Structures are given as structure tokens and as C-alpha cells.
Amino acid sequence: MLHIPILRKGTPYRSVETETAVHYRTREPFVEYSRANTGLVQRDLNSQGEAHKILSAFTVAELMEISKRAGKHFGDDELPLGDSLQSPQQYVESVSATTGLPWVMVRRNMTKIRGVMEEIETVLRGLTRLPDLELLDRGHGRVDGNAVSFYPRGHSLGVILPSNSPGVHALWVPAIAMKTPLVLKPGSSEPWSPYRIAQAFIKAGLPKEVFGYYPTGHAGGGEILRRCGRGMLFGDVGAAKAWQGDPRIEIHGPGYSKIIIGADQADNWEKYLDVMVESIVQNSGRSCVNASSIWVTKHSREIADALAQRLAKVTPREESDPQAEIAPFANPDVARRLSSVIDGDMDSDVTDATAKYRDGSRVAEYQNCTYLLPTILHVNSAEHALANREFLFPFATVVEVKNDELPEVCGPTLVATALTSDQQLINRMLASPHIGRLNVGPLSTMKISWDQPHEGNLFDHLYARRAFQMAS
Amino acid sequence: MSTTLNAKKAVAKKALDAHVRKIVGWHFDPDTGSPFWLNFAKQKKWDPRKDVKCYEDLERFGNFQDEWLRGGPVRKWVPKAYANSPISIFETGGSTGVPKARINVNDFRTDYENFSDTLPDKFFPKGANWLSLGPTGPRRLRMAVEHLCQHRGGICFMVDLDPRWVIKLLRRGQIQEAELYKSHVVDQGLTLLKAHDINCMFTTPKLLEAICEKVSLKKLGIKGIFCGGTEMTPQFHRFAVEELLDGIYFAPTYGNTLMGLATHKAPTKEDNWAIIYYPPAPRAILEVVDPDKTDNLVEYGATGRVRLTTLTKEFFVPRFLERDECEREAPCDQYPWDGVRNVRPFSRFQKNVVEGVY
């Protein structure tokens, strides 16, 4: 069986302890990877400064060139994977095998990652807002005639990665061009992408020492976050809660992204149906930027019914089918448990609008795989336990509220698409501390512009500005 | 399997059966037995003293219920023969609720003296001073490590650690507090190591990692480390030997309050850093059973749940299902009875529900 080693400062290390990720269809082990013990992670992180010194010797311009070449290698080339090589198609099939994502979705995510690597200059300019990126090499410079100076907040960025979808890797990849070494803990079912990204950078000329790749347990992940100067965590509700309030850690927990239709547009809801469907279904509902609820001031039952009719047409397909829209669960038990969680909170205030349009239950079997079919719930009250939930499949609630309750009633929202021309409502949304990313107009919540900050700005996370004066 | 090993196994089994008869006879004799077991026997239609003739006959007791060890009166466990002896209480568990408790007179001394015979004098020199950096309080280690050191002619320095507090901090998500507490413990150990002539140590895997981040134990004069108290993985074993200890002798152990101390088999290349323990038979027996049919042993090499039987005159615990799992290890020349490989927490007790995408 293929074995993926740990990378200790870029050098492969085969652990005595291994884990396997299974193929979602056969449930047979598909890949084995080394598992790092916590002490090993701790020991390696004691010398993070060395990797930082290596990257500091490069200019941002040089690192951007490396990043661009790495993007090409990532998308087009065979790259080392353990003792063998992995082609781009093998990468697509491997990610699909252990996460269940259909090939078309993996390719879409692959394009997204490659895009960030190749468009790194645009990304960096968007994140830094600096006209002259050499300023990061010098440590100081002038912007609009004013002196500015930045310093790195830490010697490395530790990232605890998820397994749900590889698109999230686009968020941390720019760290390299910002001279920040990476310490990566891959998701248990998705060891592929971070390893391949690291190999692409190494092939493009980046010294291997700037990459740590540590498949490890919960405790090992905790050490990465504790010991790296800066951290990034992708995690579920419980994992995110443990690190809330730690300014060193940028948390990417559940998004609870939403579409909000203002009273002024309530009667026009039908023309926004495509945006709603795309926001709920794209990437099989696995992203934090997928809409998990629709907030409206009227017509909630009609909207729920219309969405249910549209989503009932989404059914399981072959992994290689370019039309595939939903992914099976790599672990069937997870699908059943999530469905039980939903059913457990159902009561007379909630209607499963999709139930009458599908044959059989929400949990579906297709070619020996388990799926959760798209689910739209109509929920009578914003306070209901199901009103503001997020699950790992196309799931959304439709909730009816009063216009003047918006957006406060919606709670924390990573992406809000506001379908309204009501300037007062837009102003309230602009002023809301609970909305991370605001789309005004019919834009899918999934439409991401990578030069915009996403749950925090990576540059602001990695660098701080200091006061600076220099005698002329 | 060699004829010699078969012969050794037969001798060991015969000794075990004889020991079982002796221990059951003792605990169920009204003149020497404990109130708990005497009362137990009264409620049965069979007589342990007559009906238990070999180890396998302990099946009649069913599985020992760990609830029996929670709560008092604790004197119910004291054999009448020891009624006037000084009694110690050793506890296990107790992070929440009532801990399990066992009484002890001299068992810990016997266990650790036997264990002492397995330690090489070159690395655990007779007369050397020790540092015990690990759990104390109501645990047997509080007295056992000091006794081991004294038995070998040394003086033992102690730093206490309250694992229940650590567990509480971790459950509350107060990781930083837990780290500070760990540093507090390690710093005390370092102070002692720098101030005194100490050559041997007991510590837990986590504390060993933590202390080795700060100093070279070898440079501080440590020659041998006896490590235990929590799960140890093969990778930790390798990491400790290859990267932490720089030639210091590493003696991993598996022990608990109910059993005593299982000794580590000297590692071979074929073991690939697996940690293999053998119980101190006939005083304690470890078996690996099918978690769903706990009367059935699994095959050698197969995974199952650990079942412990303790057979001393102070304490009788037949067929106690531990919260651990492992692989069943075949007897070897040094230990011609079943052992356990790579003991770790029982996986069925560890379930999480994940909600939310990210």
C-alpha cells in the first residue's frame, strides 16, 4: 500500500505508528500515512527559527516566482508522493477515493489552489494593500508618503487542516510568499493536498526545510497551534471553541453562511432561486461558504417548496461523472449520525420540505456508498434549534423573520448574500460585527475573491505594523 | 515453539494452578479471608475452596465488577489475617466521581522488589539516588517508586503531580493552565536534578518529553529511566530511545493499582519498537479477550480487551475487564505465559460526533 511519510523540515520520516484512510466505496484501506507522536512535533518546533531564516533570505519577488512555478507543477506535473510519483489525475482520483468528492469537484478545488499559487501577486497585493511588495523585504518603506514598517508576528504558521474539501488550502498557500514557513497537520481523510502543495513548491526551488507535514492526533495538533507563532485552525464546533479568544489562532469553524432576502425583494424571490440553489449545493455543501439558511420576511413556505423541488433532482452519480453534484460520505456512520441529529431536533415547528419530493429517506445508498440527499427544512422560528445549523451536505433551512430583525437575528455569518435594495438594511449589515463577508446583490455565497480577506486577512495575521521613523 | 519453551509453559501453568488454589483457599477461609469474598461465597451454591482447582475454574466468578471497588466500607476488602496490619489505600480513576480503591499491606513492596530484579545494575546502579517525577497522592506510585529506590540502596527525591487536576483542566479546555502545571512539575524536577547526585528516574512519557526539551538528562547524570503511568506507543518508544535519551537505559512498564507491575520484554529488531509486557505471574495474569465474548481469548497477535486477574494474599480480583486494548502476545523463554503488546485505551470508549463544516 502507498505510504505517505511525515516531513520533518522537509525530510521524509517513516513513523512506527501509521494510520490508514479508506476508500469511500470499498471501505478498504487506500493509503497509509505515518503518524507523528506529540513529542516529535514538539521537538521539531523548537527550532522553527531556522526555517524562518531560510525564507527570510528570499525576496518576496523571488518567492512569488517560485509560487507561480509551483502552481504549474501542482496542476500539471508528476510530483513525489512517498516513494513514488503522483500525476495530476492520480491526485484527483486519490482525493476522491478518501473524501468521496466526485472528480469534477476535486478538479474545481485543484484549479482554485493552482489559481492562488499562480495569481499570488494579485493575492498579495489584495491582502497587503501595499503598492510596493519589496517593502516586506526591507521591513519598511513609504505608502502615500507615509512611513510604514511591518514585522512578522511569528516564525511559522501552523495549520490544522480539514478533510472535507481541498479548496481551503488556497487560504494558507500565500504564507510562503509572505516569508512564513508552514507546519501542516493534514486532515485524516485528506493527506494528499498539503503534501502535493509542499512538493510543488520544493520542485519550484523552495528549500524543503520550510515545510513541516505532521499527520498527528489531537494532542499533536494542539502542540502545532501552541508552538507556532501563528496558527490557523479548520475545525468543527468543538475544536473551534477550544481556541476561541486566542489571537494567535485564526479559526475557520462552521460558516453558517446565509442568503438574506429583504422585504423589498420578498416578492421577487423566484428570480433568486438559482443563486440560492448554487449557494446550497455547490461543492456538495461541504464548504463553510455554502449557504445553510435562507432568511426571508415572507413566502418562506413557497421558497422552501421551490428549493426542495429543485434539489430533489440532485441525485448520486458516478464519481467520474462531470454532472455529479453530491458526494458520498467516506464514513457511512457519519451520514447516519448527522441525519439522526437532524431528525432528533425535528418537531411540529419544522417541516422537511424535501421529504415529499424524494423517494425514500434522506440517507441514500448508491453503488454501495452512503449519501445524504439535499435537505431543505422550513423552520417557523429563528430561535428553533435547527434554524441556524450547518452540516456536511447540501442542507439549508428557510426561516421567516421580520425585516427590522435583520441581520441581528441571523447570528454569526461567514458569508451573507443580501438580496435587497433597502439601504437601511444594507447599512445594518455593513455595521454588523457578525458578518464576515458581505455580498450585496445576487452573488452566490460560494463566489470567492481571493484578494479579499476570508475569516481574517492572512497578511494581518502574519504581520503587524510598527511605528517607524528614520532620520533623513 | 521449542520443546524447552513448552516445558517452561507447563511448569508455569502448574505453578499458576497451585497458586490459584492457595489464594482462593486463603480468601475464602473464614479464618483468613476478607468480608467481601466470604459474603460473596455465602450467596453462591458452590464453594470456591472446593470447586476452584485450576486457573480456568475462576470462570465461575464471572467478570469482576469495577463498581465493587467504589465506596466503602473499605475494610470489607481486608483479609482477616491482615486485620491488625497497617493498611494503605491505593486509588485508580477518580477524575470524576468516586475512585476505585484497593487495600494494600505489602504487595507493592513485593511487586517492586520483583521488578527491581529485572533492572540492569549498570544503568540503575545499586545505591544510586532516584527522582520520582510523576503521579503521587492516592496512587501506588507514591510509595512504590520510593520503595524501589530504597530497596536498591538509594534515596528517592519526589515531585508530586495530580493527574486528576490535569484531566479536569483538559476537559475544561484550559490547555494553557495544564501546560503551566506541567512546567511547574518539570521545573521542580530540574531543580532537584541540578542540585543533587541523581542517576535514576521514574517519570511518565509526557513528563519525559517535557523535561528532555529543556535539558540533556544524560548530561545531568541520569543512567536509567523507568517510565510508565500512561499509555506508551511504539513510536514514543522509538522516539525516546533515538531522540530523547542519548543512550540512557529505557525501561517502559505497564502497571496499575489492581495488578502490580508488568515487566517490559527486552526489545528485538523484529518487535519494531512494539512494547511488550508480561505480567508478574502467578501473582497477576493478563489475558486478551474478545470484547464481545469476554469468556473467549483472542488468537495470538489479534486485538482484544485486556482482562486482569490478581492473585495475592492481600487482594483477589478475578477476571477484571480493563479499559485497555492490545494484541495478545505469545509466551517467551523469559516469561512462559501470555503477554500483552502495545496496550492502549479501549477504542470503543472513544466516540465523537462532529457537527459543522469548515
Side-chain angles (χ1 to χ4, degrees):
Chain A
M1 194 185 342
L2 178 67
H3 179 93
I4 304 178
I6 295 163
L7 294 177
R8 302 180 72 179
K9 296 174 190 169
T11 301
Y13 174 93
R14 189 175 181 125
S15 171
V16 178
E17 267 181 87
T18 58
E19 299 236 349
T20 54
V22 298
H23 192 293
Y24 75 93
R25 188 181 298 279
T26 63
R27 307 297 304 150
E28 294 293 325
F30 183 78
V31 61
E32 178 188 77
Y33 52 87
S34 279
R35 182 180 157 111
N37 55 299
T38 309
L40 180 146
V41 176
Q42 291 168 338
R43 192 168 183 82
D44 288 1
L45 294 183
N46 281 343
S47 49
Q48 296 168 56
E50 294 167 14
H52 189 255
K53 204 177 276 179
I54 290 171
L55 266 191
S56 299
F58 287 82
T59 64
V60 172
E62 287 168 337
L63 292 172
M64 288 194 300
E65 283 310 308
I66 289 174
S67 181
K68 288 174 195 170
R69 290 199 299 272
K72 188 175 180 329
H73 295 320
F74 176 77
D76 294 341
D77 294 353
E78 277 196 332
L79 292 171
L81 179 68
D83 293 330
S84 54
L85 292 171
Q86 183 192 55
S87 70
Q89 178 58 21
Q90 285 168 329
Y91 165 73
V92 169
E93 292 178 20
S94 298
V95 173
S96 173
T98 54
T99 65
L101 279 179
W103 294 0
V104 62
M105 291 185 203
V106 182
R107 285 204 187 97
R108 222 174 273 147
N109 283 290
M110 191 178 185
T111 303
K112 190 185 280 184
I113 296 168
R114 176 181 183 157
V116 167
M117 291 160 93
E118 292 189 330
E119 298 300 323
I120 189 68
E121 196 163 341
T122 308
V123 172
L124 248 55
R125 288 196 192 285
L127 293 175
T128 63
R129 300 287 192 260
L130 293 174
D132 170 16
L133 290 169
E134 278 180 37
L135 195 148
L136 292 179
D137 299 326
R138 294 192 303 273
H140 67 92
R142 300 193 82 80
V143 175
D144 295 335
N146 301 311
V148 290
S149 174
F150 295 95
Y151 63 92
R153 293 176 188 263
H155 280 162
S156 61
L157 175 67
V159 193
I160 310 302
L161 292 163
S163 292
N164 50 328
S165 174
V168 297
H169 302 305
L171 285 172
W172 52 264
V173 157
I176 288 292
M178 294 186 213
K179 306 190 178 198
T180 308
L182 288 161
V183 180
L184 308 169
K185 174 187 179 291
S188 56
S189 304
E190 217 277 84
W192 314 101
S193 303
Y195 196 92
R196 185 171 174 83
I197 292 169
Q199 296 304 330
F201 271 105
I202 292 167
K203 182 169 181 178
L206 199 71
K208 63 180 183 179
E209 289 80 2
V210 304
F211 286 103
Y213 172 88
Y214 299 98
T216 182
H218 185 70
E223 286 304 323
I224 289 174
L225 290 180
R226 256 188 300 284
R227 290 175 185 245
C228 289
R230 308 305 282 178
M232 191 184 265
L233 166 72
F234 297 85
D236 69 333
V237 177
K241 196 176 167 190
W243 294 94
Q244 257 154 15
D246 186 336
R248 299 176 311 107
I249 314 297
E250 191 174 278
I251 295 172
H252 298 260
Y256 304 116
S257 296
K258 298 174 177 74
I259 290 177
I260 298 169
I261 307 180
D264 61 312
Q265 291 297 318
D267 294 332
N268 298 327
W269 62 269
E270 281 172 288
K271 79 175 186 188
Y272 301 123
L273 210 51
D274 286 346
V275 172
M276 289 188 257
V277 169
E278 186 187 334
S279 299
I280 295 166
V281 175
Q282 211 184 63
N283 212 35
S284 195
R286 288 193 173 191
S287 304
C288 52
V289 290
N290 277 114
S292 54
S293 55
I294 313 287
W295 297 71
V296 297
T297 57
K298 56 181 175 175
H299 303 304
S300 59
R301 288 199 183 274
E302 293 97 311
I303 293 170
D305 190 69
L307 285 172
Q309 286 189 56
R310 287 280 296 271
L311 295 181
K313 293 174 188 154
V314 175
T315 51
R317 290 169 181 263
E318 292 278 345
E319 64 202 4
S320 55
D321 187 334
Q323 304 301 317
E325 289 184 279
I326 52 169
F329 279 75
N331 181 349
D333 289 341
V334 173
R336 293 188 194 102
R337 281 212 299 273
L338 290 183
S339 191
S340 301
V341 167
I342 294 167
D343 289 338
D345 283 333
M346 295 279 285
D347 57 25
S348 57
D349 282 329
V350 183
T351 311
D352 185 343
T354 24
K356 66 179 173 186
Y357 293 113
R358 65 173 174 245
D359 300 325
S361 85
R362 181 182 304 121
V363 181
E365 301 290 329
Y366 174 74
Q367 293 189 344
N368 209 25
C369 299
T370 306
Y371 292 75
L372 283 179
L373 296 179
T375 296
I376 299 294
L377 303 182
H378 180 271
V379 181
N380 277 344
S381 157
E383 279 78 44
H384 195 280
L386 280 170
N388 214 345
R389 298 289 279 277
E390 177 179 291
F391 297 101
L392 201 61
F393 74 107
F395 167 92
T397 56
V398 183
V399 190
E400 195 165 303
V401 292
K402 293 186 179 128
N403 199 57
D404 58 6
E405 294 175 331
L406 291 169
E408 286 74 15
V409 72
C410 298
T413 304
L414 174 58
V415 185
T417 285
L419 300 171
T420 182
S421 301
D422 176 350
Q423 197 54 49
Q424 284 190 346
L425 176 56
I426 293 171
N427 288 345
R428 290 205 299 275
M429 290 190 180
L430 286 167
S432 171
H434 297 304
I435 296 175
R437 181 186 280 259
L438 179 61
N439 297 331
V440 180
L443 295 165
S444 164
T445 57
M446 297 292 288
K447 190 172 170 52
I448 295 294
S449 170
W450 292 105
D451 66 343
Q452 295 289 311
H454 178 84
E455 285 192 274
N457 177 323
L458 185 63
F459 177 67
D460 291 342
H461 188 53
L462 298 179
Y463 281 84
R465 186 178 168 187
R466 66 157 68 82
F468 184 79
Q469 298 177 84
M470 184 183 262
S472 53
Chain B
M1 201 173 286
S2 72
T3 318
T4 322
L5 179 55
N6 275 333
K8 283 183 177 178
K9 278 172 59 185
V11 170
K13 177 65 169 69
K14 200 173 168 188
L16 174 63
D17 289 340
H19 187 71
V20 166
R21 289 192 293 277
K22 185 173 88 178
I23 295 300
V24 170
W26 168 271
H27 282 282
F28 292 90
D29 183 331
D31 292 334
T32 53
S34 66
F36 179 87
W37 288 119
L38 293 173
N39 189 45
F40 179 94
K42 272 185 207 162
Q43 294 167 30
K44 302 292 174 191
K45 291 178 180 163
W46 53 283
D47 182 350
R49 285 193 293 174
K50 287 182 186 157
D51 296 326
V52 174
K53 295 184 171 65
C54 63
Y55 179 78
E56 287 71 23
D57 290 340
L58 294 178
E59 195 177 331
R60 301 196 68 153
F61 286 94
N63 289 333
F64 188 93
Q65 304 299 305
D66 63 356
E67 286 307 310
W68 293 343
L69 295 172
R70 296 187 207 272
V74 76
R75 285 240 167 230
K76 69 187 173 193
W77 294 106
V78 179
K80 204 170 177 183
Y82 298 125
N84 296 319
S85 303
I87 305 291
S88 303
I89 277 290
F90 297 142
E91 292 179 358
T92 181
S95 302
T96 55
V98 181
K100 289 174 274 185
R102 75 161 281 189
I103 60 97
N104 209 294
V105 185
N106 270 313
D107 268 356
F108 76 92
R109 294 187 184 90
T110 310
D111 290 333
Y112 275 70
E113 285 169 20
N114 291 343
F115 172 65
S116 174
D117 295 339
T118 70
L119 296 178
D121 289 349
K122 181 180 170 193
F123 297 102
F124 294 92
K126 292 279 171 59
N129 296 330
W130 283 58
L131 169 65
S132 179
L133 187 72
T136 49
R139 278 152 220 92
R140 195 178 52 151
L141 281 165
R142 164 178 59 110
M143 295 164 85
V145 176
E146 183 171 42
H147 179 73
L148 172 67
C149 168
Q150 290 172 346
H151 177 69
R152 297 179 69 83
I155 296 170
C156 188
F157 293 85
M158 309 288 291
V159 176
D160 52 338
L161 168 82
D162 179 0
R164 290 178 191 168
W165 179 238
V166 177
I167 290 170
K168 213 165 243 182
L169 289 173
L170 295 177
R171 282 185 181 157
R172 285 184 194 153
Q174 293 175 284
I175 312 292
Q176 196 60 32
E177 280 298 310
E179 286 297 309
L180 286 171
Y181 183 59
K182 185 164 78 176
S183 293
H184 167 63
V185 171
V186 165
D187 289 346
Q188 292 175 76
L190 281 177
T191 302
L192 290 170
L193 287 173
K194 287 172 182 169
H196 294 279
D197 53 333
I198 295 171
N199 297 127
C200 306
M201 260 181 88
F202 165 79
T203 194
T204 66
K206 292 273 175 236
L207 291 175
L208 179 63
E209 284 174 350
I211 203 165
C212 287
E213 273 194 71
K214 300 197 171 186
V215 292
S216 158
L217 287 174
K218 189 168 188 180
K219 284 184 184 162
L220 285 178
I222 297 295
K223 294 183 164 70
I225 288 179
F226 153 35
C227 190
T230 58
E231 180 199 5
M232 235 175 297
T233 64
Q235 173 58 24
F236 172 80
H237 186 193
R238 172 192 176 187
F239 175 67
V241 171
E242 287 186 349
E243 302 193 35
L244 300 183
L245 299 179
D246 195 20
I248 294 171
Y249 186 91
F250 186 62
T253 54
Y254 173 59
N256 64 41
T257 301
L258 302 183
M259 173 180 68
L261 200 58
T263 312
H264 174 221
K265 169 183 165 282
T268 63
K269 196 178 173 191
E270 293 72 42
D271 294 334
N272 193 28
W273 301 99
I275 310 183
I276 300 165
Y277 302 111
Y278 286 91
R283 291 168 57 79
I285 296 294
L286 290 173
E287 293 164 301
V288 186
V289 299
D290 181 337
D292 296 316
K293 295 174 186 165
T294 57
D295 284 341
N296 298 347
L297 298 183
V298 301
E299 297 296 320
Y300 286 116
T303 304
R305 190 169 174 183
V306 179
R307 187 173 72 189
L308 163 72
T309 292
T310 299
L311 297 158
T312 73
K313 287 167 84 173
E314 292 175 22
F315 206 55
F316 172 57
V317 181
R319 298 159 56 90
F320 176 82
L321 289 170
E322 294 278 11
R323 298 173 72 85
D324 291 326
E325 68 182 19
C326 66
E327 284 71 52
R328 184 182 176 197
E329 187 70 15
C332 63
D333 271 336
Q334 195 181 354
Y335 303 103
W337 51 81
D338 274 14
V340 291
R341 176 186 281 250
N342 294 338
V343 181
R344 54 200 179 268
F346 189 39
S347 52
R348 289 196 191 174
F349 292 157
Q350 298 168 351
K351 292 274 179 205
N352 287 323
V353 176
V354 174
E355 189 179 318
V357 299
Y358 32 87

